[in-house]
Amino acid sequence: DVKVTQSSRYLVKRTGEKVFLECVQDMDHENMFWYRQDPGLGLRLIYFSYDVKMKEKGDIPEGYSVSREKKERFSLILESASTNQTSMYLCASSLLGQGSSGNTIYFGEGSWLTVV
Amino acid sequence: AQKVTQAQTEISVVEKEDVTLDCVYETRDTTYYLFWYKQPPSGELVFLIRRNSFDEQNEISGRYSWNFQKSTSSFNFTITASQVVDSAVYFCALSEEMNRDDKIIFGKGTRLHILP
C-alpha cells in the first residue's frame, strides 16, 4: 500500500513563527504536492515537485516555500506564519514524473495548523 | 471557469437509502482522467476510482457505482444502501492530458451525512 506520512497532525503556532510541515512517502514516487483545504474553497495547490530539488508554484504559493532534498521527502515552509494560514494542509504523491498525466495521487492524513 | 463542479454542497440521507453525488466537469482535452476521493472525518483523502476519457463503461464496486457520461460531461457516484460509515466529504477531480504535471483539479466537495 502507498503510504504518505505527514509528521504532525495538529500544530498551534504563533504569528511570525517559522513553521515546517514534513511529508514522507514510501513508494518512490517522483511527484509530490502540497495542498491546503479550507471550507467552501476545496483543495488548492500550493506547490508541487516532480523531482529532487525541483519545485513548481501551484495556485496559491504566496507566503510558502518548499524543499525537496530527497525523493521521499517534501517539506512545506511557512517563513512567517500568519493567521490567514490557519488551515488543513495535505501532502500527496504520485508515480511518474513530468510528461505524463492521469496518475493517481495519494494523500497523507493532513496537518491541522492553527496560527494564533 | 470552474472545471469541476459538485453542485451539491451537503446531502443528508437516512441509512439504507441510495444516494447519488453529482460531478460535472469541463475540459477541451480529448484525453483526460476523472477521479473520486473520499475524505472521512479523520482527514485523509482516500482514492476511490480513476477513469480515463476513453472508457465510458460504468463501474461497480460493492455498494459503490459510477456513471460516466461524456455527452453530459458528468461522472456521478452512487452509493447503494448507504451506511453511517459512508459519512464523509467526497471530491470529484479532473486531470487533463495537456497538463503534464499530474496536477489535478478538484471540485469543492460534497459533504454526505448518513443518518442512523
Side-chain angles (χ1 to χ4, degrees):
Chain A
D1 279 353
V2 175
K3 188 69 176 175
V4 180
T5 304
Q6 296 182 228
S7 57
S8 304
R9 285 281 277 157
Y10 302 95
L11 305 94
V12 180
K13 297 292 182 179
R14 295 190 182 278
T15 299
E17 273 193 77
K18 191 169 186 176
V19 181
F20 292 87
L21 299 180
E22 306 285 349
C23 175
V24 176
Q25 50 93 4
D26 66 357
M27 285 302 291
D28 204 34
H29 284 174
E30 284 81 5
N31 285 351
M32 294 190 75
F33 308 82
W34 275 105
Y35 290 85
R36 66 176 280 178
Q37 183 180 5
D38 301 286
L41 297 177
L43 278 79
R44 293 180 292 168
L45 181 64
I46 304 171
Y47 267 97
F48 68 100
S49 167
Y50 52 84
D51 201 352
V52 175
K53 297 192 185 294
M54 305 298 287
K55 61 184 179 183
E56 294 283 343
K57 293 180 180 179
D59 301 317
I60 51 163
E62 296 77 19
Y64 303 94
S65 62
V66 290
S67 172
R68 184 123 182 246
E69 296 296 320
K70 293 185 178 181
K71 189 176 186 180
E72 67 271 18
R73 187 179 296 270
F74 192 36
S75 303
L76 179 69
I77 304 156
L78 288 66
E79 295 289 343
S80 177
S82 63
T83 54
N84 64 11
Q85 292 178 309
T86 292
S87 187
M88 156 90 139
Y89 290 87
L90 287 156
C91 177
S93 71
S94 69
L95 187 63
L96 296 180
Q98 197 172 22
S100 65
S101 63
N103 298 295
T104 300
I105 294 181
Y106 297 92
F107 286 85
E109 287 187 324
S111 298
W112 298 86
L113 172 66
T114 301
V115 183
V116 298
Chain B
Q2 193 170 349
K3 290 200 170 186
V4 179
T5 303
Q6 295 180 254
Q8 303 148 309
T9 305
E10 202 157 344
I11 302 174
S12 295
V13 300
V14 176
E15 196 173 19
K16 297 184 184 174
E17 286 185 3
D18 299 347
V19 58
T20 295
L21 309 182
D22 298 333
C23 174
V24 173
Y25 62 91
E26 178 187 330
T27 181
R28 283 180 282 183
D29 218 342
T30 54
T31 302
Y32 53 90
Y33 303 84
L34 296 162
F35 303 81
W36 275 96
Y37 286 85
K38 173 183 179 180
Q39 186 179 39
S42 59
E44 178 182 0
L45 267 79
V46 178
F47 165 72
L48 295 178
I49 190 171
R50 170 181 178 267
R51 176 53 51 87
N52 74 56
S53 52
F54 298 108
D55 182 4
E56 283 195 77
Q57 274 194 326
N58 291 331
E59 179 150 344
I60 298 174
S61 176
R63 296 183 296 106
Y64 294 173
S65 62
W66 290 270
N67 183 358
F68 176 29
Q69 292 198 341
K70 287 176 78 168
S71 60
T72 55
S73 297
S74 65
F75 187 44
N76 296 338
F77 172 32
T78 297
I79 301 175
T80 304
S82 59
Q83 300 176 1
V84 173
V85 293
D86 296 326
S87 296
V89 180
Y90 291 85
F91 290 93
C92 180
L94 165 72
S95 174
E96 297 167 302
E97 175 74 8
M98 61 182 171
N99 180 345
R100 292 186 174 277
D101 298 324
D102 274 347
K103 286 191 292 185
I104 66 174
I105 304 157
F106 286 88
K108 295 192 175 179
T110 297
R111 184 176 296 275
L112 177 63
H113 300 278
I114 308 298
L115 307 172

